[in-house]
DNA sequence: ATGTGTTCCTGTCCGC
DNA sequence: TGCGGACAGGAACACA
């Protein structure tokens, strides 16, 4: 579930609980997620202060006072729950652990942060802060779509000559970091580009529009997450899920939402993933 | 180098 | 109500 906007929403939800706070203890309830958890992770976290919570692509990065950084990826089904008291703002009782609560952080301020991941495609690692960018999971990532390194000139350069469908190219984290299946579908719809179109065969002008709508769709989703954050916290402390109004994603068979378009949303499979698009207005 | 298909894991939903 | 199959927001990996 978590693409860049969801991960950013989780990060923002964790900032008031974790940033500047001490990790009193960490309980590792199973030894592995997608890969084995870091050696002696609980010992290396206990007593450390979280200096800063950052995000790179879909990774949450917690810089610690020990000089190490905890890298967290939510995979497909990873979620984070916050409970416990902090200035009365998180006055939610600790729920009993579920079988998918794999790592539990007990903060010095009384909050509890639980990493839950049914499918266990998530991951954690703990490395020197100076080595985060060169970590094997992060080193090949393309630019942040909301950062300065991503614009129409960059994107055009990366798509030039590529014969792969634009859908696959945008899902490639080396091209641009943080997009997933939902937001690629949404961005292509807004840009009026058929997901099957060869990446290198999109006109310069339309590539410019694409870069622009990618930023817009992500920004809107982050804003929506921010506005729903408080509601979700009040509900059950769960971070990372919020309602979106998608224009095509998961809307197979329904009317296209492009103004004046009479098309019907279709679903096709591209490299094993569902693509939702409108054949009438995406060319 | 590029592009495609498989794989990890569990939960949910839909049709019979 | 049970059961089988399809499918799920990721991405590393093996292979053409």
């Amino acid at each position: 579930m978590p693409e860049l906007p969801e991960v950013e929403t989780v990060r923002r939800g964790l900032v008031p609980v974790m940033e500047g706070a001490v990790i009193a203890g960490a309980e590792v309830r199973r030894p592995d997620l997608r890969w084995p958890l870091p050696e002696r992770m609980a010992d290396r976290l206990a007593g450390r202060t979280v200096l800063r919570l950052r995000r790179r692509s879909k990774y949450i990065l917690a810089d610690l006072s020990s000089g190490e950084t905890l890298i967290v990826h939510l995979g497909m089904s990873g979620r984070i729950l916050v409970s416990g008291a902090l200035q009365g703002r998180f006055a939610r009782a600790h729920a009993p652990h579920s079988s998918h609560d794999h790592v539990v952080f007990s903060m010095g301020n009384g909050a509890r942060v639980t990493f839950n991941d049914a499918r266990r495609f998530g991951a954690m690692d703990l490395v020197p802060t100076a080595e985060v960018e060169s970590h094997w999971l992060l080193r090949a990532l393309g630019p942040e779509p909301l950062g300065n390194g991503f614009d129409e000139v960059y994107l055009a350069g990366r798509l030039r000559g590529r014969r792969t469908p634009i859908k696959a190219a945008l899902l490639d984290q080396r091209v641009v970091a943080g997009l997933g299946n939902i937001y690629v579908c949404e961005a292509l719809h807004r840009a009026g580009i058929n997901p099957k179109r060869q990446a290198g065969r999109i006109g310069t002008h339309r590539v410019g529009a694409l870069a622009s709508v990618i930023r817009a769709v992500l920004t809107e989703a982050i804003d929506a997450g921010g506005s729903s954050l408080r509601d979700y916290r009040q509900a059950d402390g769960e971070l990372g899920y919020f309602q979106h109004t998608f224009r095509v994603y998961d809307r197979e068979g329904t009317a296209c939402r492009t103004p004046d378009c009479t098309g019907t949303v279709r679903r096709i499979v591209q490299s094993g993933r569902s693509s939702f698009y409108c054949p009438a207005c995406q060319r």
Side-chain angles (χ1 to χ4, degrees):
Chain A
M1 56 225 51
E3 301 184 31
L4 187 156
E6 289 75 24
V7 175
E8 176 61 18
T9 298
V10 170
R11 187 194 71 81
R12 292 182 185 185
L14 290 176
V15 163
V17 184
M18 296 189 82
E19 214 169 67
V22 175
I23 301 174
E27 181 188 0
V28 177
R29 298 169 57 80
R30 68 168 292 139
D32 61 301
L33 296 171
R34 180 167 188 176
W35 297 288
L37 288 163
E39 294 286 326
R40 301 175 33 254
M41 184 172 86
D43 290 342
R44 291 158 69 187
L45 295 178
R48 311 304 187 184
T49 297
V50 178
L51 302 178
R52 208 154 88 88
L53 276 181
R54 298 181 286 147
R55 179 189 57 75
R56 171 74 169 109
S57 186
K58 301 170 192 173
Y59 295 89
I60 292 173
L61 309 173
D63 295 333
L64 306 175
S65 54
S66 57
E68 293 193 300
T69 293
L70 179 67
I71 302 173
V72 178
H73 195 283
L74 299 172
M76 287 274 258
S77 57
R79 56 190 77 184
I80 290 179
L81 293 98
V82 175
S83 59
L86 176 70
Q87 301 165 352
R89 294 173 60 197
F90 304 98
R92 186 180 307 98
H94 296 312
H97 292 128
S98 88
S99 61
H100 301 308
D101 290 347
H102 303 310
V103 179
V104 181
F105 304 93
S106 295
M107 306 304 295
N109 56 29
R112 176 194 277 175
V113 176
T114 300
F115 180 93
N116 176 293
D117 184 8
R119 291 175 74 180
R120 273 187 285 118
F121 291 168
M124 290 188 194
D125 204 355
L126 190 53
V127 300
T129 300
E131 296 172 18
V132 169
E133 284 75 21
S134 57
H135 189 277
W136 66 281
L137 286 169
L138 282 79
R139 66 186 170 208
L141 291 174
E144 286 290 318
L146 299 178
N148 293 330
F150 182 77
D151 58 23
E152 50 268 42
V153 174
Y154 166 82
L155 186 59
R158 288 306 300 257
L159 299 183
R160 190 168 300 132
R162 292 196 61 177
R163 307 174 68 88
T164 196
I166 184 64
K167 172 77 185 309
L170 293 180
L171 281 176
D172 184 343
Q173 302 295 298
R174 296 169 299 186
V175 173
V176 56
L179 292 179
N181 204 34
I182 291 177
Y183 295 107
V184 168
C185 290
E186 293 296 309
L188 288 174
H189 180 256
R190 291 194 192 199
I193 298 171
N194 190 302
K196 291 182 286 191
R197 177 165 289 275
Q198 288 186 18
R201 298 202 167 196
I202 302 172
T204 309
H205 184 72
R206 304 179 76 209
V207 171
L210 179 57
S212 175
V213 299
I214 285 171
R215 280 191 296 271
V217 76
L218 294 176
T219 301
E220 286 175 28
I222 290 171
D223 290 347
S227 62
S228 67
L229 198 52
R230 189 184 47 194
D231 297 337
Y232 271 81
R233 285 247 205 87
Q234 287 169 349
D236 58 4
E238 180 174 322
L239 299 175
Y241 286 83
F242 45 91
Q243 288 300 313
H244 300 280
T245 307
F246 301 128
R247 298 191 190 175
V248 283
Y249 183 79
D250 204 21
R251 292 192 64 241
E252 182 183 18
T254 66
C256 177
R257 287 182 169 154
T258 298
D260 298 326
C261 180
T262 55
T264 300
V265 177
R266 275 194 68 193
R267 183 180 84 92
I268 60 172
V269 175
Q270 292 179 285
S271 50
R273 317 273 320 260
S274 288
S275 292
F276 298 90
Y277 74 106
C278 172
C281 67
Q282 291 179 253
R283 295 297 175 171

